[in-house]
């Protein structure tokens, strides 16, 4: 008796193929997922500084990408406890050797209490020990105080 004349044998054969197909797809998906989680690691960090009542809070989002690099996606800042209309902010991604990879200087028009996010989109070798620098000059009566905050990647 051949398998074509036995309907139970045909169904069993198709079931085995379906199961093997499903298992192989699941294995491929698991391998891709495992590979994706080991090659990149998304993270975010925050830091702040203050001077004469004004506070600068900075943050960044990045991925520890493959090939020993850091993929910096964005940088953000907020000025707190200072409602002035003429604060200044400077953001820069730099290497430990002093090279500026990305920078953004504001005009003299940053209002306190508002969060601003800037896209960075830079890939930097981890060996260069990159960091984000945020510097603010606060708008107050009299001499304007300033402070700087740093985040190491």
């Amino acid at each position: 008796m051949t398998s074509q004349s036995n309907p139970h044998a045909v169904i069993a054969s198709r079931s085995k193929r379906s199961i093997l197909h499903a298992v192989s797809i699941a294995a491929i998906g698991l391998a891709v997922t495992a590979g994706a989680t080991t090659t990149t690691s998304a993270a975010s960090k925050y830091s702040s500084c203050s001077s004469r009542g004004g506070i600068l809070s900075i943050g960044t989002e990045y991925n520890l990408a493959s090939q020993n690099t850091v993929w910096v996606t964005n940088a953000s800042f907020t000025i707190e406890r200072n409602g002035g209309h003429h604060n200044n902010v400077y953001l820069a991604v730099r290497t430990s050797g002093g090279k500026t990879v990305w920078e953004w200087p504001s005009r003299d028009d940053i209002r306190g209490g508002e969060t601003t996010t800037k896209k960075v989109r830079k890939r930097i070798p981890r060996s260069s020990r990159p960091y984000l620098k945020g510097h603010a000059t606060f708008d107050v009566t009299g001499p304007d105080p300033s402070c700087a905050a740093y985040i190491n990647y």
Side-chain angles (χ1 to χ4, degrees), residues 132-153:
L132 173 68
K133 176 185 180 180
H135 182 271
T137 302
F138 302 108
D139 180 30
V140 298
T141 304
D144 290 344
S146 65
C147 72
Y150 300 89
I151 298 173
N152 291 321
Y153 291 103

Side-chain angles (χ1 to χ4, degrees), residues 8-75:
H8 296 293
V10 171
I11 291 171
S13 176
R14 286 183 187 159
S15 294
K16 286 180 185 175
R17 279 185 278 168
S18 296
I19 290 170
L20 288 174
H21 183 68
V23 167
S24 65
I25 289 175
I28 291 169
L30 185 60
V32 168
T33 303
T37 58
T38 58
T39 59
T40 62
S41 174
S44 56
K45 289 186 177 182
Y46 305 92
S47 183
S48 63
C49 65
S50 64
S51 182
R52 287 189 38 202
I55 300 171
L56 170 66
S57 298
I58 62 171
T60 186
E61 292 180 12
Y62 63 97
N63 290 306
L64 296 177
S66 61
Q67 296 135 2
N68 291 318
T69 61
V70 177
W71 173 253
V72 181
T73 55
N74 65 45

Side-chain angles (χ1 to χ4, degrees), residues 98-141:
K99 178 183 175 188
T100 300
V101 177
W102 173 88
E103 67 181 342
W104 179 82
S106 74
R107 296 180 294 203
D108 191 29
D109 63 351
I110 302 298
R111 300 180 131 228
E114 298 176 2
T115 300
T116 302
T117 302
K118 298 294 177 185
K119 293 184 190 283
V120 177
R121 294 184 178 154
K122 294 289 182 181
R123 185 176 304 277
I124 307 150
R126 285 190 213 178
S127 61
S128 65
R129 297 188 322 233
Y131 65 93
L132 173 68
K133 176 185 180 180
H135 182 271
T137 302
F138 302 108
D139 180 30
V140 298
T141 304

